[in-house]
Amino acid sequence: MFSSSVADAPQIREPLHAPVAHLIRDGVVEGIHYGSVVVLGADGKVDFQLGDIEAAFYPRSALKPVQAVAMVRAGLPLDGELLSLTAASHSGEERHLAGTRRILELAGLTEDHLRNVPDMPFDPVVRDTWVREGRPPSRLAQNCSGKHAAMLYTCVLNDWPLEGYLDPAHPLQQAIAEIVEDLTGQRIARVTVDGCGAPLFSVSLHGLARATARVTTAAPGTPEARVADAMRSHAEMASGSGRDVAALMRAVPGLLAKDGFEGVEVAALPDGRAVAVKIADGANRARIPVAAAALARAGVDPAALTEFRGEALLGGGQPVGCVRPSRSLDPVVVPACA
């Protein structure tokens, strides 16, 4: 279905983003969110694009399923909840912390081996509880701890050094970079440091969508299929209770979805249809309604996407508007959201 050739790295340039969503207050456009959107058909071809889908960008945590595939290819034996946690941007709930401890235990390691940045839980309710209890920032609570624990476990299994496992020159990160290029179908444009301290690989939005489609269309039992199955079956382990990305996977059967900081969302269906979204200003309020509109463009029943149209804009405590996908993305006439 897809070509296995690897193209040149995407160009590093100022992205030519386009309007993807409007902030509507009582029928007036109060603000505009710019960004880029790509929709792939089941044949891997671009069915729709808006903005700049070929410029180099940072997928942030939306690339975690690909990183998880790389670790499984390198021998990581996890499945189910723990493999879902490997690809997680988790909320810091107790089940996430317990799962990370379990991965470390399987590796014969402890929290002290982690080198991600200590942080408070991502979920605001869980974070408030930590504050009330006087609990300090923790490497376990940081939203990437499952990935870091799995990275360490992969190093143990391959007799790779634990020291410096976040160095882009480390064998683990070299193995991950190889799979990023394999699945995106393009060379990495630049390597920098993500918020958690791990290497972050710059690809294109088109490449991110292509990689996620390859994960969902892989044959049963392959590393790609194992990651997709784990995330779909344990969506809350890859995110958290009440998270929109988990709700989206529950609402659309067979969908694999992953969010990333700075307004990134990627999603793919088992037949290879896929969408990827980048909101230029990183606004979370535009990410989900734009992603939902892109999925509708990909052929997902709009009725399954109703709850993802975005939060209401309030005035005096009452709904007076909304964030609405631009007409170029969602040509369906929608009544003024006010």
Side-chain angles (χ1 to χ4, degrees), residues 175-192:
I176 292 174
E178 180 180 348
I179 303 309
V180 169
E181 293 188 336
D182 177 34
L183 292 180
T184 62
Q186 60 189 177
R187 301 296 178 194
I188 293 167
R190 180 161 293 174
V191 181
T192 188

Side-chain angles (χ1 to χ4, degrees), residues 1-236:
M1 181 182 296
F2 296 100
S3 171
S4 60
S5 61
V6 176
D8 291 339
Q11 186 179 357
I12 298 174
R13 62 170 184 253
E14 181 178 348
L16 302 174
H17 291 305
V20 294
H22 292 145
L23 176 65
I24 309 294
R25 183 183 293 271
D26 198 17
V28 174
V29 176
E30 184 177 28
I32 300 175
H33 290 288
Y34 284 73
S36 296
V37 179
V38 61
V39 177
L40 302 183
D43 59 0
K45 295 180 180 178
V46 175
D47 278 354
F48 175 83
Q49 61 181 303
L50 183 63
D52 194 341
I53 69 170
E54 302 296 354
F57 92 120
Y58 292 122
R60 303 300 298 270
S61 289
L63 197 62
K64 282 179 178 174
V66 176
Q67 293 172 301
V69 168
M71 287 185 269
V72 175
R73 287 196 188 184
L76 186 69
L78 301 178
D79 281 298
E81 288 189 353
L82 295 185
L83 183 53
S84 183
L85 183 60
T86 296
S89 300
H90 66 70
S91 291
E93 300 165 28
E94 286 303 322
R95 60 177 161 181
H96 300 127
L97 276 61
T100 301
R101 290 191 192 98
R102 180 58 182 154
I103 296 173
L104 290 169
E105 289 171 359
L106 291 169
L109 304 174
T110 69
E111 180 181 355
D112 292 338
H113 290 91
L114 293 171
R115 289 295 175 266
N116 57 320
V117 178
D119 201 357
M120 301 295 281
F122 178 75
D123 183 270
V125 175
V126 179
R127 187 189 314 125
D128 288 348
T129 299
W130 274 54
V131 171
R132 286 195 302 270
E133 295 175 351
R135 300 171 71 175
S138 157
R139 295 187 195 275
L140 281 178
Q142 197 271 336
N143 76 92
C144 302
S145 64
K147 178 182 77 174
H148 280 254
M151 285 180 170
L152 287 167
Y153 191 11
T154 304
C155 289
V156 169
L157 293 166
N158 287 276
D159 293 323
W160 293 333
L162 301 183
E163 188 68 28
Y165 77 93
L166 298 180
D167 188 326
H170 189 281
L172 168 72
Q173 301 302 337
Q174 290 291 298
I176 292 174
E178 180 180 348
I179 303 309
V180 169
E181 293 188 336
D182 177 34
L183 292 180
T184 62
Q186 60 189 177
R187 301 296 178 194
I188 293 167
R190 180 161 293 174
V191 181
T192 188
V193 183
D194 210 339
C196 65
L200 176 60
F201 306 106
S202 179
V203 294
S204 69
L205 196 66
H206 187 183
L208 176 64
R210 184 164 47 229
T212 310
R214 287 175 172 170
V215 171
T216 61
T217 57
T222 60
E224 291 89 337
R226 285 171 55 190
V227 170
D229 289 345
M231 293 182 67
R232 288 184 294 223
S233 298
H234 305 279
E236 285 79 10

Side-chain angles (χ1 to χ4, degrees), residues 251-267:
V252 182
L255 185 73
L256 174 67
K258 184 70 187 76
D259 53 352
F261 281 149
E262 297 301 324
V264 182
E265 181 92 10
V266 66

Side-chain angles (χ1 to χ4, degrees), residues 254-303:
L255 185 73
L256 174 67
K258 184 70 187 76
D259 53 352
F261 281 149
E262 297 301 324
V264 182
E265 181 92 10
V266 66
L269 291 155
D271 64 1
R273 287 175 291 158
V275 306
V277 170
K278 165 63 180 175
I279 305 301
D281 60 5
N284 213 39
R285 68 182 182 185
R287 173 181 55 83
I288 274 292
V290 170
L295 284 168
R297 277 269 186 180
V300 174
D301 183 358

